[in-house]
Amino acid sequence: MELYTGITQKIYLDIYKDGELVAADSNPVVIIYDGETDVQLFSGFGLPELDDEGHYGFSLLDNYVMTDKLIKVVWTYSVGANAMTTVDYYNVVTPYISISEAYTKLHFGREEGDNNHKAFHEMAEAERFARFMIENYTGVRFGRYEKTLSAYGQDADILYLGDRIISFTKLSENNKIVIDKVANVNVFSFNVDITDTSHSIRIVSDEDINEGGKKDIVYPSYGSFYGGYRYDVTGVFGWKSVPEKVQAATLMLMKDYFGKDNIWRARYVNSISFGDTDMQFSKLAFRGTGNFYVDKLLDEFKTTNMAVI
């Protein structure tokens, strides 16, 4: 199951007994954990929904789902004094286009009775399909992730991380914390910034040379990431925002998802005839994303997956 980053949304619990929805003895307790570490994030109570007995909802506020992650939801409740537990897992993901914007750009109707109406769950499935196709083609995920990444120094003032980095809160050198921005601690003796490429961090030296108002050439005088030392960087990695071309590709693939020809391509049909109409698919329709224009939009992300620091 999926949830989107950055928006408040509800999760639900249905309680069944003998195949029928039944109410719990009291409102279920809901505890949210990090799905990877099992660290408790927050808790609350599920509230009954108005449409059905035994149907409960719990609102996840947007500030708890700001980055892509796996969360575990544990519901505890009792029915007829019998204690019960239900565990659900949700992938919190960054949509490559907001559903609201997709409705507008694709000219789909939001309400029943509107022209070209698409239900929200259909739009969400189309976005999910497009996102999977893009990630499969590029090998890149365009979300934001909190994690710790390890890299080894090369006796240089730059530490190449490989992954794109947005911000960091901690830097450890051989398991010793040398920078902790939350605690306002810096025993590293130098400030550290993210490079323009977003794939590395660098030591900021007072001896950096300015040329034309830009730090085009840097001569480190003192600070360096020591060769062979392990550095652990804790922060937010990924993309600050989904690139415009990826958003455009997502819209195209969502449109394809609802297109009639997609039914035939999904069945590996190469050609089909309807009376006076003949359709012949190129072999390329079964490679990449299946859309020539989308592939062209995404090629730069596929070919530049390796960054130069």
Side-chain angles (χ1 to χ4, degrees), residues 218-272:
V218 177
Y219 296 93
S221 298
Y222 302 107
S224 68
F225 296 100
Y226 296 129
Y229 279 36
R230 193 184 84 177
Y231 294 89
D232 300 316
V233 182
T234 299
V236 179
F237 293 79
W239 299 74
K240 287 183 179 179
S241 61
V242 178
E244 230 177 281
K245 289 183 179 180
V246 176
Q247 294 184 46
T250 303
L251 285 171
M252 290 183 187
L253 289 174
M254 289 178 71
K255 187 175 181 180
D256 288 351
Y257 178 84
F258 292 113
K260 292 180 180 179
D261 63 330
N262 191 51
I263 298 172
W264 303 110
R265 279 190 297 178
R267 288 165 172 76
Y268 295 101
V269 175
N270 289 311
S271 61
I272 190 168

XYZ file of all heavy atoms in Angstrom, residues 218-272:
453
model
N 39.477 25.387 -6.522
C 39.659 25.361 -5.079
C 40.982 24.711 -4.747
O 41.291 23.621 -5.219
C 38.512 24.565 -4.397
C 38.750 24.473 -2.897
C 37.187 25.245 -4.683
N 41.797 25.432 -3.936
C 43.065 24.890 -3.478
C 42.973 24.651 -1.978
O 43.093 25.590 -1.192
C 44.203 25.867 -3.768
C 44.423 26.104 -5.240
C 43.796 27.168 -5.881
C 45.244 25.260 -5.978
C 43.985 27.394 -7.228
C 45.435 25.482 -7.332
C 44.819 26.538 -7.949
O 45.009 26.756 -9.273
N 42.714 23.415 -1.557
C 42.600 23.168 -0.109
C 43.958 23.317 0.567
O 44.937 22.725 0.165
C 42.122 21.709 -0.052
C 42.599 21.104 -1.330
C 42.567 22.195 -2.354
N 43.979 24.167 1.600
C 45.248 24.404 2.291
C 45.407 23.503 3.500
O 46.509 23.113 3.846
C 45.332 25.873 2.717
O 45.314 26.698 1.589
N 44.310 23.204 4.163
C 44.442 22.483 5.411
C 43.540 21.242 5.485
O 44.016 20.141 5.688
C 44.112 23.431 6.573
C 44.969 24.666 6.617
C 44.457 25.904 6.253
C 46.302 24.595 7.017
C 45.236 27.055 6.285
C 47.095 25.736 7.057
C 46.561 26.961 6.689
O 47.331 28.076 6.724
N 42.243 21.457 5.360
C 41.300 20.371 5.616
C 41.256 19.333 4.516
O 41.380 19.651 3.334
N 41.077 18.081 4.913
C 40.880 17.017 3.935
C 40.180 15.846 4.602
O 40.233 15.679 5.821
C 42.212 16.569 3.321
O 42.998 15.910 4.301
N 39.519 15.054 3.782
C 38.955 13.793 4.233
C 40.064 12.747 4.071
O 40.452 12.405 2.950
C 37.719 13.433 3.400
C 36.581 14.409 3.569
C 36.352 15.395 2.617
C 35.755 14.341 4.675
C 35.312 16.301 2.758
C 34.702 15.252 4.834
C 34.482 16.222 3.875
N 40.576 12.251 5.198
C 41.784 11.429 5.182
C 41.596 10.136 4.408
O 40.559 9.471 4.516
C 42.231 11.111 6.613
C 42.628 12.328 7.409
C 42.083 12.560 8.669
C 43.552 13.234 6.909
C 42.456 13.684 9.408
C 43.927 14.357 7.637
C 43.368 14.583 8.879
O 43.727 15.690 9.597
N 42.621 9.791 3.632
C 42.589 8.566 2.843
C 42.388 7.334 3.701
O 43.095 7.142 4.695
N 41.431 6.500 3.327
C 41.164 5.265 4.058
C 40.249 5.422 5.251
O 39.759 4.425 5.800
N 39.989 6.657 5.689
C 39.055 6.886 6.792
C 37.623 6.718 6.279
O 37.305 7.128 5.162
C 39.215 8.293 7.365
C 40.353 8.463 8.349
C 41.559 7.782 8.184
C 40.240 9.319 9.440
C 42.601 7.951 9.092
C 41.275 9.493 10.348
C 42.456 8.801 10.166
O 43.488 8.967 11.055
N 36.790 6.135 7.148
C 35.384 5.989 6.768
C 34.581 7.166 7.315
O 34.675 7.503 8.495
C 34.789 4.691 7.304
C 33.434 4.355 6.667
C 32.811 3.116 7.270
N 32.086 3.444 8.500
C 31.387 2.573 9.208
N 31.351 1.310 8.811
N 30.760 2.938 10.307
N 33.796 7.757 6.443
C 32.941 8.874 6.829
C 31.479 8.482 6.619
O 31.109 7.989 5.545
C 33.280 10.119 6.000
C 34.666 10.641 6.296
C 35.780 10.186 5.581
C 34.874 11.571 7.310
C 37.055 10.646 5.867
C 36.151 12.044 7.605
C 37.233 11.571 6.877
O 38.503 12.036 7.177
N 30.679 8.649 7.668
C 29.248 8.355 7.602
C 28.487 9.679 7.584
O 28.655 10.515 8.481
C 28.803 7.518 8.803
C 29.532 6.180 8.864
O 29.664 5.543 7.801
O 29.958 5.784 9.967
N 27.662 9.844 6.558
C 26.911 11.080 6.379
C 25.425 10.769 6.550
O 24.859 9.960 5.807
C 27.163 11.694 4.987
C 26.413 13.016 4.847
C 28.657 11.884 4.747
N 24.811 11.407 7.528
C 23.380 11.222 7.789
C 22.631 12.461 7.308
O 22.984 13.592 7.674
C 23.106 11.027 9.295
O 23.796 9.863 9.745
C 21.612 10.861 9.558
N 21.613 12.249 6.483
C 20.874 13.393 5.965
C 19.745 12.978 5.057
O 19.270 11.840 5.099
N 19.326 13.915 4.227
C 18.259 13.672 3.247
C 18.907 13.569 1.872
O 19.637 14.475 1.443
C 17.215 14.803 3.268
C 16.136 14.546 2.215
C 16.580 14.918 4.658
N 18.637 12.478 1.203
C 19.219 12.211 -0.108
C 18.112 12.171 -1.169
O 16.943 11.994 -0.848
C 19.980 10.881 -0.096
C 21.212 10.880 0.766
C 21.117 10.742 2.146
C 22.467 11.037 0.198
C 22.244 10.755 2.948
C 23.613 11.044 0.992
C 23.496 10.904 2.365
N 18.509 12.324 -2.415
C 17.540 12.254 -3.506
C 17.414 13.592 -4.215
O 18.402 14.288 -4.457
N 16.168 13.967 -4.526
C 15.888 15.150 -5.340
C 15.038 16.129 -4.546
O 14.039 15.750 -3.930
C 15.160 14.755 -6.622
C 15.961 13.833 -7.487
C 16.209 12.501 -7.256
C 16.635 14.164 -8.691
N 17.005 11.991 -8.252
C 17.279 12.984 -9.155
C 16.754 15.338 -9.436
C 18.025 12.960 -10.318
C 17.495 15.313 -10.604
C 18.120 14.134 -11.033
N 15.420 17.416 -4.576
C 14.624 18.435 -3.886
C 13.211 18.490 -4.462
O 12.239 18.691 -3.740
C 15.293 19.801 -4.016
C 16.545 19.968 -3.180
C 17.094 21.386 -3.306
C 18.340 21.567 -2.446
N 18.904 22.939 -2.589
N 13.115 18.334 -5.757
C 11.818 18.309 -6.430
C 11.938 17.420 -7.657
O 13.039 17.192 -8.179
C 11.368 19.718 -6.833
O 12.297 20.288 -7.742
N 10.819 16.909 -8.110
C 10.815 16.050 -9.287
C 11.123 16.910 -10.517
O 10.456 17.936 -10.750
C 9.446 15.357 -9.460
C 9.435 14.491 -10.720
C 9.122 14.514 -8.229
N 12.152 16.558 -11.312
C 12.511 17.366 -12.482
C 11.327 17.548 -13.438
O 10.472 16.683 -13.569
C 13.634 16.550 -13.140
C 14.209 15.736 -12.030
C 13.060 15.407 -11.132
N 11.305 18.697 -14.097
C 10.197 19.031 -14.995
C 10.004 17.985 -16.089
O 8.872 17.630 -16.437
C 10.465 20.400 -15.631
C 9.275 21.360 -15.520
C 9.581 22.724 -16.081
O 10.230 23.498 -15.378
O 9.173 22.991 -17.222
N 11.096 17.494 -16.639
C 10.978 16.513 -17.717
C 10.391 15.196 -17.212
O 9.686 14.503 -17.941
C 12.343 16.279 -18.371
C 12.826 17.462 -19.201
C 14.143 17.163 -19.890
C 14.599 18.355 -20.725
N 15.897 18.086 -21.411
N 10.687 14.856 -15.967
C 10.115 13.643 -15.380
C 8.618 13.831 -15.148
O 7.820 12.919 -15.365
C 10.831 13.283 -14.066
C 10.178 12.078 -13.396
C 12.313 12.989 -14.334
N 8.229 15.023 -14.734
C 6.804 15.315 -14.577
C 6.076 15.203 -15.917
O 4.978 14.627 -16.002
C 6.602 16.712 -13.992
C 7.109 16.873 -12.572
C 6.801 18.245 -12.004
O 5.683 18.745 -12.138
N 7.781 18.868 -11.371
N 6.691 15.762 -16.958
C 6.079 15.696 -18.286
C 5.973 14.249 -18.760
O 4.955 13.842 -19.343
C 6.898 16.520 -19.281
N 7.025 13.463 -18.512
C 7.001 12.042 -18.893
C 5.904 11.298 -18.147
O 5.228 10.426 -18.712
C 8.370 11.417 -18.605
N 5.705 11.648 -16.881
C 4.665 11.000 -16.082
C 3.294 11.261 -16.673
O 2.460 10.346 -16.792
C 4.712 11.508 -14.628
O 6.013 11.273 -14.090
C 3.675 10.811 -13.775
N 3.026 12.497 -17.077
C 1.737 12.836 -17.678
C 1.507 12.054 -18.968
O 0.403 11.553 -19.220
C 1.671 14.337 -17.959
C 1.466 15.246 -16.744
C 1.650 16.710 -17.134
C 0.081 15.035 -16.142
N 2.549 11.945 -19.780
C 2.415 11.194 -21.033
C 2.097 9.728 -20.769
O 1.246 9.124 -21.440
C 3.705 11.308 -21.852
C 3.961 12.677 -22.440
S 5.468 12.653 -23.451
C 5.641 14.403 -23.824
N 2.787 9.143 -19.791
C 2.568 7.733 -19.492
C 1.205 7.505 -18.838
O 0.573 6.459 -19.044
C 3.687 7.193 -18.598
C 5.044 7.048 -19.278
C 6.120 6.651 -18.266
C 4.985 6.025 -20.410
N 0.736 8.471 -18.043
C -0.610 8.362 -17.485
C -1.649 8.394 -18.600
O -2.637 7.651 -18.565
C -0.870 9.487 -16.485
C -0.098 9.355 -15.187
S -0.388 10.728 -14.029
C -2.091 10.369 -13.507
N -1.416 9.253 -19.580
C -2.327 9.312 -20.730
C -2.303 7.991 -21.493
O -3.352 7.468 -21.908
C -1.926 10.466 -21.649
C -2.905 10.734 -22.777
C -2.501 11.961 -23.566
C -3.509 12.243 -24.678
N -3.138 13.461 -25.467
N -1.103 7.427 -21.664
C -0.983 6.118 -22.323
C -1.721 5.037 -21.535
O -2.321 4.132 -22.122
C 0.486 5.715 -22.461
C 1.220 6.527 -23.514
O 0.557 7.278 -24.263
O 2.464 6.418 -23.583
N -1.646 5.122 -20.213
C -2.272 4.124 -19.344
C -3.771 4.020 -19.628
O -4.344 2.925 -19.611
C -2.038 4.506 -17.892
C -2.681 3.594 -16.869
C -2.056 2.423 -16.452
C -3.918 3.919 -16.300
C -2.638 1.589 -15.505
C -4.509 3.103 -15.348
C -3.867 1.942 -14.955
O -4.452 1.117 -14.019
N -4.389 5.168 -19.890
C -5.822 5.170 -20.165
C -6.140 4.993 -21.646
O -7.306 4.894 -22.025
C -6.450 6.486 -19.677
C -6.448 6.643 -18.182
C -5.666 7.618 -17.574
C -7.230 5.819 -17.387
C -5.669 7.772 -16.188
C -7.224 5.958 -16.005
C -6.451 6.934 -15.406
N -5.092 4.984 -22.498
C -5.319 4.870 -23.933
C -5.721 3.470 -24.359
O -5.327 2.473 -23.767
N -6.502 3.394 -25.421
C -6.998 2.090 -25.895
C -5.875 1.207 -26.418
O -5.912 -0.012 -26.272
C -8.043 2.304 -26.986
C -9.335 2.949 -26.483
C -10.343 3.134 -27.611
C -11.625 3.789 -27.088
N -12.610 3.992 -28.176
N -4.853 1.825 -27.060
C -3.783 1.008 -27.632
C -2.960 0.317 -26.552
O -2.313 -0.699 -26.798
C -2.862 1.844 -28.530
C -2.134 2.940 -27.774
O -2.685 3.439 -26.774
O -1.013 3.285 -28.181
N -3.000 0.846 -25.333
C -2.243 0.234 -24.245
C -2.766 -1.158 -23.907
O -2.030 -2.026 -23.451
C -2.303 1.127 -22.998
C -1.328 0.688 -21.915
O -0.147 0.499 -22.200
N -1.811 0.498 -20.714
N -4.064 -1.374 -24.136
C -4.659 -2.696 -23.886
C -3.975 -3.750 -24.748
O -3.671 -4.857 -24.303
C -6.174 -2.673 -24.177
C -6.863 -1.675 -23.243
C -6.783 -4.058 -24.068
C -8.331 -1.440 -23.571
N -3.696 -3.386 -26.009
C -3.097 -4.355 -26.928
C -1.604 -4.526 -26.668
O -1.076 -5.639 -26.723
C -3.344 -3.911 -28.382
C -4.796 -3.754 -28.656
C -5.482 -2.603 -28.873
C -5.774 -4.809 -28.697
N -6.812 -2.848 -29.047
C -7.028 -4.203 -28.967
C -5.714 -6.199 -28.552
C -8.197 -4.931 -29.065
C -6.882 -6.941 -28.667
C -8.104 -6.305 -28.913
N -0.919 -3.429 -26.387
C 0.512 -3.534 -26.098
C 0.768 -4.386 -24.857
O 1.739 -5.120 -24.776
C 1.120 -2.139 -25.901
C 1.431 -1.438 -27.200
C 2.234 -0.193 -26.967
N 1.514 0.799 -26.186
C 2.033 1.962 -25.819
N 3.266 2.261 -26.138
N 1.326 2.814 -25.112
N -0.135 -4.272 -23.869
C 0.021 -5.050 -22.636
C -0.104 -6.543 -22.899
O 0.340 -7.362 -22.089
C -1.027 -4.617 -21.612
N -0.684 -6.885 -24.039
C -0.836 -8.298 -24.399
C 0.159 -8.728 -25.479
O -0.002 -9.762 -26.112
C -2.266 -8.561 -24.876
C -3.287 -8.523 -23.736
C -4.713 -8.421 -24.247
N -5.682 -8.579 -23.162
C -5.972 -7.640 -22.260
N -5.339 -6.471 -22.314
N -6.862 -7.845 -21.310
N 1.169 -7.906 -25.722
C 2.220 -8.187 -26.707
C 1.654 -8.370 -28.115
O 2.199 -9.131 -28.920
C 3.018 -9.436 -26.311
C 3.802 -9.282 -25.040
C 3.342 -9.819 -23.846
C 4.999 -8.579 -25.023
C 4.059 -9.663 -22.660
C 5.724 -8.423 -23.847
C 5.240 -8.963 -22.674
O 5.941 -8.808 -21.511
N 0.555 -7.672 -28.414
C -0.007 -7.733 -29.760
C 0.781 -6.774 -30.654
O 0.907 -5.581 -30.352
C -1.506 -7.343 -29.744
C -2.042 -7.287 -31.171
C -2.295 -8.354 -28.919
N 1.326 -7.300 -31.772
C 2.139 -6.475 -32.671
C 1.296 -5.723 -33.693
O 1.668 -4.644 -34.145
C 3.155 -7.340 -33.415
C 4.266 -7.831 -32.506
O 4.849 -7.034 -31.778
N 4.545 -9.117 -32.527
N 0.171 -6.295 -34.083
C -0.676 -5.625 -35.063
C -2.117 -6.080 -34.869
O -2.384 -7.163 -34.341
C -0.225 -5.949 -36.494
O -0.324 -7.339 -36.746
N -3.036 -5.212 -35.279
C -4.457 -5.525 -35.142
C -5.219 -4.780 -36.225
O -4.795 -3.714 -36.679
C -4.969 -5.145 -33.739
C -6.375 -5.691 -33.527
C -4.910 -3.647 -33.500
C -6.827 -5.604 -32.084
